[in-house]
Structure formats: structure tokens, C-alpha cells
């Protein structure tokens, strides 16, 4: 939800700033803009354009201004449409101070009124512009000290923000701040970076610093100072980035999404390393898992679907009740939660505002929080009592694939661990399921070897007005995930239903030729026959049925075979053809696969 990058060093700044924006474009692509300090004390060099970064790049052509520091922004619009004027950076009325922002300033209306009354002239409809005018005044009252001004301004803001600012009086200096939105520092050799995500500077340095809530960072090419809002100097946590630049590149694939689909065997294997024998005390932290009376999983979108699968596994293997909550709904109904509740937020980015706020609510009521997250050092794990990191590596495509696969693995590992500490499963059972989980990377590889025919099959229902997905048991959340993928990538109406629920209403949607994708339970499962009956019901009403399962279903029009697995583990395999179908459908319909319309990868607003 907006990507932010800042560079200061010896190189001409345009290139590292543009490179950072390319790597952060997954966060928002409504507009892009850059500000550079070319002339000390003069007007800033600024270019900004509505639309994707490529629009800005074509405007720039071969331009490469003589500037060694600058900031860049790629926007997901909140306040004000995606226009050139609303694009960041925003400038003060002197044209010497530039600011970029990720998040929402909730008190921007009152600030704007106050600033307009003081004579400031606004040019955009954004909430951000209030901040640059406020910062301009504060800087003047602090004798030109931009960091002191930033501290004062942050104390006056309500909402969520990452802010970066530069002033032409001080070439080489960038000041940033964060509250509820991400900001990391990349520590280079004679150059330093600020960015929403380490991907922005991974090609230059693997050494990074984490910033906490309400911290202000002040960098030059050779210095980094972090303070709290009172000005006290802090020592930020350092970390090394474990993946290299190639992980954030397409590597010969036409789209990041396809690459990430094919990376799933490795992502699962990496997430299992050192964990098949059990979760270490280091992961569990100080959480007393034996004393819990209830588990609450909170998440959004795809991560929510992983949580739904987790509910089946935890309730069955650990014998503890589980609620799975849409994070955006959770705290507003003021649910009952106490110290005996284990809350599991699931988030790829670790920055999803809905999940963060729901988790904070639970924590403030005494719950213990055990996060599942893919992004080291992000806000959700930072604020949790313990964290199980998934090792999917960077997920760049907006549609989540390999992160989902690893979130499922995390759910199984947590369910087994809880089952063990609560004495709900035997060691034999643990070993048996553990061996099945360890086989999943190979089985996903087998699925990937057979997906080619889906290209032609998908095109058969490319013009359908609606596609329905059916599943039972863990196949139900898998169906929901298949429908979400198709909606966000193909812009088609798609719905997932529990097979047994059809007859209570949704079956009225079935018409002659309606495509129905049925996720069949494993053929040895007691639910197989029930689901086969549900398929007959839709077929009898004209549906074209595509069945996904470990055996061919005679009544299906098309069968997609996946390897046999333990029935609880089947989503890891069944979701792969669903991802490929959504991918192929997006390609067939001419959509932007990696950056679908209206979406952003990290949703850092409520
Ligand atoms: O970063 P998170 O896992 O917290 O993100 C949650 C959802 O926004 C995310 O899973 C979203 O639904 C995906 N784009 C779906 O493919």
C-alpha cells in the first residue's frame, strides 16, 4: 500500500531510487514520483506521473540529474484519485521540501484548515499534503533541523504513516518516520537506503536495521541516527537479509506469479527445515500452550483461508476449540478474549493493518499472541509474544500463492505441536503425519508437472459469467481460495461453497454450462461419496464439472488428478491447479497478472 524508497550516497540517485520503485511497485501502482536534490538551496527536481511506474520512466527517458540523494514513491490511492497532482512527492510552497507518505493521516482535514488559514496553498486532494506544509513550518521554527521538525510533526498526526522528507538546503540528508506502516534502513558502504521493504535495496546491501513505532530516522551517506519522538537516541535492531536479489526477480518467467507458483516445493521444504521433529522452544518463546482454553486465528484474504484449514487441523489434532476471524471484523464487535486465549495472526507481509489492529485488541485483553509471518522484522511479529516464520521468500505478485502454501504448513506444525503438548495425539500419529508433511514438496512438484493441460481447459470457460467452486471439510477453504484467486486475477464472478450447503440456496445459480470446480475429498475419505452426490446435483442442472482429486470422478466433465495425501494435507496439493487456472484465466483475458486492478500487496490501511 504505497512503496517508499530513499537513497543517499555517491551514486547518481535516480538509478537506485527507480530500481527500488521497480521492486516495490507491487505495493501500489496508481502513480509514481521522485524528488531529487540537484541544486543546494534551489528548487527540488521533481517528476511524477499517474499510472504505473512505466509512465514515469517513459517521461524520464535518458534523464539522469546530477543528484546524490532523493526519494521515490509508488502509490495506492486513498485520498484523491490517481492523478499527476495527487501523486507523491508533495512539496511545500517554497518548492524546497519534499515529502512522501504511506498510510492515512486521519486528522488531515483539521490540519489543512489550520494551514490554509496560515496562508499555505494546497495543490492536491491528498491527506499527505497537510503533512508537508506542517513540516515546512516546523522546520522553520526548529532553525532548519528537519529531524526535530519531523518529531514535532509526528506527535501531531493521527493515523498510520511512513514518511520520508528531503530539503534542498541539506543535500544528502533524508529524514523518515514510521507509525503502523513499515520502514527499514539499508546500511551500505558509503551509501544508505530507506524503504518500505528490503526488496528495494537488496541488490546493494543485505545489512538492514529495523525501526520501531514512532521512531524517526535521520540518514546521510555515512551516518544513521534513530530517535524516539522525544529525541532520545535509540539503538535499532540489526538484521541480515537471508535471500538474494535474484529471489525478487522474475528469473525467466513471464510473471512473478508463475515463478512463485513453481517455487512452492522449495518454499514448503524451507519452511519445514528443522521443524519436522517439533517446534523449538526458541519459536514458542515463553508462551504456556498447555494452559490455553481456546485458539483464535485472525487474518485476511488468503491468509484467512489458511486459518480456516488450520481450524480443522487444530481442533482435530489438539482438541481445542478454534475460532477463525476476519481481522477487519474482529475488534469492532469487542469479542471476549482473555489470558487463556491463544491468538494466531497469520500474515505474509506482517503489515496488514486489519490483522495488526485485531491482534493489538486481543493482546490488550491479555491474550498470548503467536504470529505466523513471512516477513522478518515486520510489525506483526515484532508485537507478538512468539513467531513462526514461514520461509516462502519474497512474494512479489499481488496474488498470494507460495505464502499460502507455507501458511498451511505452519498451521499443520502448530496443530501437531499443540496436540503433542496437550497430550491429544500419540507419538506414532505425530511421526506418521510428520512423514506425510515431509512428502509434500515432492507431491507439489508432481502436481506442477501435470498442469500444462489446464491452459487449454481454462480457455474453454474464459467467457463464462460466473465460476463456482465446491469443497467439503478442508476442501471448503480450498474452494474459497480458488474463488478468491479467480476474482482478483480474472475479474470474474467466482464463489466458493461448502458442497453440503448448495441445496440451501446457491444451487439456484447453476445454469446450463455453468463451470463448477469441485475439490473432491481424498478417495478413501468418508466424505468422498457425499461430495460425489453434490457433483451429481449440479451436473443434473447443467453444470460443467471440473473435478480435482486423487481419483477420476466418472460424473465429471474434466478430471484434474493430484497425488493422494492425508485428507487434512490435501489443500496444499489441490490449491495448485486452482492457482494455475486463475493465472491462465488472467492471461487469457488480457489482465495484468502481477498487478491486478485496484489491489496492492500489503494492505496497510483499515
Ligand atoms: O500480508 P497478508 O498475508 O496479511 O495479506 C492478507 C491479504 O491481503 C492477502 O492474502 C490477499 O488476500 C492476497 N492478495 C490474495 O491473493
Amino acid at each position: 500500500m504505497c512503496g517508499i524508497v530513499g537513497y543517499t550516497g555517491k551514486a547518481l540517485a535516480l538509478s537506485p531510487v527507480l530500481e527500488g520503485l521497480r521492486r516495490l511497485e507491487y505495493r501500489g501502482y496508481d502513480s509514481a514520483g521522485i524528488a531529487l536534490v540537484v541544486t543546494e538551496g534551489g528548487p527540488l527536481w521533481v517528476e511524477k506521473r499517474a499510472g504505473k511506474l512505466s509512465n514515469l520512466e517513459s517521461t524520464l527517458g535518458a534523464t539522469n540529474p546530477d543528484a546524490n540523494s532523493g526519494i521515490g514513491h509508488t502509490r495506492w490511492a486513498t485520498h484523491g484519485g490517481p492523478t499527476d497532482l495527487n501523486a507523491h512527492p508533495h512539496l511545500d510552497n517554497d518548492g524546497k521540501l519534499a515529502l512522501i507518505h504511506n498510510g492515512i493521516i486521519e486528522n488531515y482535514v483539521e490540519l489543512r484548515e489550520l494551514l490554509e488559514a496560515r496562508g499555505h496553498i494546497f495543490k492536491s486532494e491528498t491527506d499527505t499534503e497537510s503533512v508537508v506544509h506542517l513540516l515546512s513550518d516546523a522546520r522553520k521554527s526548529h532553525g532548519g533541523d528537519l529531524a526535530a521538525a519531523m518529531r514535532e510533526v509526528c506527535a501531531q498526526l493521527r493515523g498510520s504513516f511512513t514518511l520520508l522528507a528531503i530539503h534542498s538546503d541539506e543535500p544528502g540528508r533524508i529524514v523518515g518516520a514510521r507509525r503502523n506502516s513499515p520502514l527499514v534502513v539499508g546500511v551500505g558502504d558509503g551509501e544508505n537506503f530507506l524503504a518500505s521493504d528490503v526488496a528495494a535495496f537488496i541488490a546493494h546491501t543485505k545489512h538492514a536495521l529495523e525501526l520501531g513505532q514512532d521512531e524517526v530516522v535521520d540518514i546521510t551517506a555515512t551516518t544513521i541516527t534513530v530517535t524516539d519522538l522525544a529525541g532520545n537516541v535509540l539503538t535499532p535492531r540489526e538484521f541480515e537479509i537471508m535471500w538474494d536479489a535474484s529471489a525478487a526477480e522474475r528469473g525467466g518467467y513471464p510473471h512473478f506469479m508463475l515463478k512463485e507458483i513453481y517455487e512452492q516445493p522449495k518454499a514448503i521444504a524451507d519452511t519445514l527445515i528443522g521443524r519436522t521433529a517439533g517446534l523449538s522452544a526458541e519459536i514458542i518463546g515463553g508462551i504456556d500452550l498447555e494452559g490455553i482454553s481456546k485458539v483464535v486465528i485472525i487474518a485476511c484474504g488468503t491468509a484467512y483461508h489458511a486459518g480456516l484449514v488450520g481450524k480443522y487441523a487444530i481442533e482435530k489434532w489438539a482438541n481445542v476449540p478454534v475460532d477463525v476471524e476476519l481481522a477487519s471484523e474482529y475488534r469492532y464487535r469487542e469479542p471476549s478474549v482473555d489470558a487463556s486465549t491463544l491468538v494466531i495472526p497469520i500474515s505474509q507481509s506482517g503489515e496488514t493493518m486489519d490483522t495488526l489492529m485485531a491482534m493489538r485488541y486481543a493482546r490488550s485483553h491479555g491474550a498470548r499472541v503467536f504470529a505466523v509471518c513471512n516477513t522478518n522484522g515486520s510489525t506483526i511479529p515484532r508485537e507478538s509474544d512468539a513467531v513462526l516464520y514461514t520461509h516462502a521468500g519474497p512474494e512479489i505478485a499481488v496474488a498470494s500463492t507460495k505464502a499460502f502454501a507455507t501458511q498451511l504448513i505452519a498451521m499443520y506444525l502448530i496443530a501437531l505441536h499443540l496436540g503433542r503438548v496437550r497430550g491429544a495425539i500419540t507419538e506414532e500419529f505425530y511421526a506418521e503425519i510428520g512423514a506425510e508433511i515431509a512428502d509434500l514438496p515432492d507431491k507439489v512438484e508432481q502436481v506442477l508437472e501435470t498442469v500444462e493441460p489446464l491452459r487449454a481447459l481454462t480457455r474453454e470457460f474464459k467467457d463464462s459469467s460466473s465460476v463456482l467452486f465446491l469443497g467439503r471439510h478442508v476442501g471448503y477453504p480450498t474452494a474459497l481460495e480458488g474463488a478468491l484467486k479467480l476474482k482478483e486475477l480474472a475479474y470474474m464472478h467466482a464463489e466458493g461453497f461448502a458442497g453440503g450447503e448448495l441445496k440451501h440456496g446457491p444451487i439456484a445459480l447453476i445454469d446450463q454450462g455453468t463451470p463448477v470446480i469441485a475439490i473432491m475429498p481424498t478417495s478413501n475419505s468418508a466424505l468422498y461419496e457425499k461430495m460425489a452426490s453434490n457433483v451429481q446435483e449440479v451436473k443434473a442442472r447443467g453444470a460443467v464439472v471440473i473435478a480435482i482429486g486423487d481419483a477420476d470422478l466418472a460424473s465429471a466433465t474434466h478430471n484434474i488428478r493430484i497425488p493422494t495425501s492425508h485428507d487434512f494435507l490435501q489443500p496444499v496439493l489441490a490449491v495448485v491447479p486452482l492457482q494455475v487456472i486463475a493465472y491462465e484465466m488472467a492471461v487469457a483475458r488480457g489482465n495484468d497478472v502481477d498487478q491486478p486492478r485496484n489491489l496492492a500487496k500489503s494492505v496497510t490501511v483499515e
Side-chain angles (χ1 to χ4, degrees):
M1 203 117 295
C2 300
I4 278 183
V5 61
Y7 171 83
T8 174
K10 291 177 275 211
L12 292 181
L14 184 65
S15 163
V17 171
L18 269 177
E19 180 188 338
L21 290 182
R22 266 178 230 121
R23 290 179 189 275
L24 295 183
E25 204 183 6
Y26 71 86
R27 299 180 65 87
Y29 28 86
D30 287 331
S31 65
I34 293 175
L36 304 172
V37 185
V38 175
T39 313
E40 183 169 349
L44 290 165
W45 178 97
V46 178
E47 282 292 349
K48 47 190 200 174
R49 284 288 174 276
K52 296 201 170 191
L53 181 62
S54 52
N55 286 0
L56 178 67
E57 289 179 300
S58 350
T59 309
L60 293 175
T63 315
N64 199 5
D66 186 16
N68 300 109
S69 62
I71 54 178
H73 187 268
T74 173
R75 178 170 188 243
W76 187 83
T78 59
H79 295 63
T83 62
D84 286 356
L85 272 182
N86 289 333
H88 300 212
H90 292 284
L91 302 183
D92 70 348
N93 288 151
D94 299 333
K96 291 167 69 172
L97 174 68
L99 181 93
I100 53 178
H101 168 221
N102 168 31
I104 288 180
I105 305 299
E106 288 167 2
N107 53 335
Y108 79 100
V109 175
E110 64 199 66
L111 290 174
R112 185 167 178 145
E113 282 166 8
L114 175 98
L115 289 155
E116 282 178 333
R118 280 192 213 157
H120 290 267
I121 296 162
F122 281 68
K123 295 187 177 135
S124 77
E125 305 154 298
T126 65
D127 52 341
T128 308
E129 200 180 350
S130 295
V131 185
V132 75
H133 292 289
L134 199 60
L135 190 63
S136 179
D137 281 0
R139 184 179 172 275
K140 283 170 190 158
S141 69
H142 281 278
D145 183 342
L146 189 55
M150 184 67 91
R151 286 190 281 273
E152 183 189 307
V153 163
C154 289
Q156 296 174 56
L157 300 179
R158 291 203 307 273
S160 63
F161 50 82
T162 302
L163 301 167
L164 292 191
I166 53 172
H167 195 284
S168 69
D169 283 354
E170 294 178 279
R173 185 182 192 187
I174 307 174
V175 173
R178 71 164 291 250
R179 177 187 299 162
N180 293 334
S181 288
L183 180 61
V184 281
V185 186
V187 185
D189 182 10
E191 58 183 8
N192 288 314
F193 301 80
L194 291 169
S196 312
D197 177 338
V198 297
F201 51 73
I202 183 72
H204 301 269
T205 179
K206 291 193 170 181
H207 190 46
L209 304 178
E210 215 175 279
L211 295 174
Q213 275 293 80
D214 277 334
E215 290 181 2
V216 169
V217 59
D218 183 356
I219 66 166
T220 65
T222 52
T223 60
I224 298 167
T225 308
V226 179
T227 63
D228 60 18
L229 294 191
N232 300 305
V233 176
L234 306 171
T235 308
R237 190 182 82 85
E238 300 180 25
F239 65 100
E240 292 298 315
I241 304 156
M242 304 307 283
W243 41 273
D244 60 36
S246 63
E249 282 158 13
R250 283 210 305 271
Y253 285 88
H255 301 99
F256 276 110
M257 184 187 174
L258 194 62
K259 177 182 177 232
E260 289 161 7
I261 288 172
Y262 277 87
E263 282 174 343
Q264 291 184 105
K266 179 172 181 333
I268 294 169
D270 287 351
T271 300
L272 285 171
I273 288 174
R275 293 164 172 177
T276 40
L279 298 181
S280 65
E282 196 192 342
I283 289 175
I284 302 301
I287 298 188
D288 164 24
L289 294 174
E290 281 162 71
I292 60 168
S293 63
K294 178 181 171 184
V295 173
V296 174
I297 299 175
I298 47 181
C300 307
T302 288
Y304 172 76
H305 298 151
L308 289 174
V309 175
K311 174 182 169 78
Y312 286 86
I314 296 171
E315 288 191 335
K316 175 77 176 169
W317 298 342
N319 193 24
V320 58
V322 180
D323 288 342
V324 190
E325 303 275 358
L326 285 170
S328 55
E329 288 293 317
Y330 183 63
R331 72 180 170 129
Y332 293 106
R333 64 180 170 80
E334 300 181 14
S336 151
V337 51
D338 59 24
S340 70
T341 309
L342 177 70
V343 167
I344 306 180
I346 308 175
S347 176
Q348 186 286 129
S349 62
E351 300 292 347
T352 301
M353 185 61 72
D354 291 320
T355 309
L356 178 62
M357 290 303 180
M359 169 190 133
R360 282 186 184 158
Y361 170 90
R363 203 147 190 254
S364 71
H365 286 73
R368 286 156 281 181
V369 177
F370 183 14
V372 170
C373 186
N374 193 46
T375 309
N376 197 308
S378 56
T379 308
I380 288 172
R382 277 173 64 91
E383 295 192 15
S384 298
D385 299 298
V387 55
L388 176 60
Y389 278 111
T390 51
H391 294 306
E395 192 179 64
I396 309 289
V398 165
S400 187
T401 53
K402 61 177 179 170
F404 178 67
T406 59
Q407 286 162 353
L408 292 174
I409 299 299
M411 288 292 99
Y412 300 138
L413 293 175
I414 291 173
L416 286 173
H417 188 87
L418 285 173
R420 215 179 201 181
V421 296
R422 294 169 60 84
I425 51 170
T426 62
E427 283 305 304
E428 290 72 32
F429 178 80
Y430 188 97
E432 186 192 316
I433 292 284
E436 289 247 17
I437 293 173
D439 281 345
L440 286 172
D442 283 346
K443 289 185 178 174
V444 173
E445 198 73 67
Q446 287 171 40
V447 179
L448 288 167
E449 281 161 13
T450 61
V451 294
E452 178 57 30
L454 296 182
R455 184 185 295 258
L457 175 61
T458 301
R459 279 152 179 79
E460 284 183 28
F461 55 103
K462 164 177 166 290
D463 298 317
S464 300
S465 57
S466 186
V467 181
L468 305 185
F469 293 73
L470 300 186
R472 275 178 172 262
H473 193 258
V474 290
Y476 170 48
T478 313
L480 295 178
E481 175 60 8
L484 174 63
K485 286 281 96 76
L486 200 65
K487 277 183 252 203
E488 72 174 331
L489 290 162
Y491 317 151
M492 290 170 88
H493 174 250
E495 293 286 334
F497 296 108
E501 185 65 13
L502 271 188
K503 56 189 177 294
H504 299 290
I507 202 162
L509 291 168
I510 306 290
D511 205 349
Q512 204 58 39
T514 304
V516 172
I517 300 183
I519 294 102
M520 298 302 296
T522 50
S523 50
N524 56 6
S525 146
L527 278 173
Y528 187 84
E529 292 305 331
K530 302 267 179 223
M531 185 67 186
S533 302
N534 297 144
V535 167
Q536 289 289 3
E537 289 156 13
V538 294
K539 232 192 140 212
R541 287 156 179 88
V544 173
V545 177
I546 298 142
I548 298 177
D550 64 352
D552 280 353
L553 180 70
S555 55
T557 319
H558 302 280
N559 278 286
I560 299 169
R561 288 286 287 272
I562 55 174
T564 303
S565 64
H566 184 284
D567 49 1
F568 279 70
L569 308 185
Q570 199 216 34
V572 179
L573 307 176
V575 79
V576 177
L578 300 179
Q579 295 165 343
V580 174
I581 286 170
Y583 171 83
E584 291 295 346
M585 191 65 90
V587 172
R589 290 166 67 99
N591 295 351
D592 188 332
V593 174
D594 286 336
Q595 296 173 345
R597 70 184 181 199
N598 305 338
L599 293 171
K601 181 77 179 162
S602 289
V603 187
T604 55
V605 295
E606 273 196 83

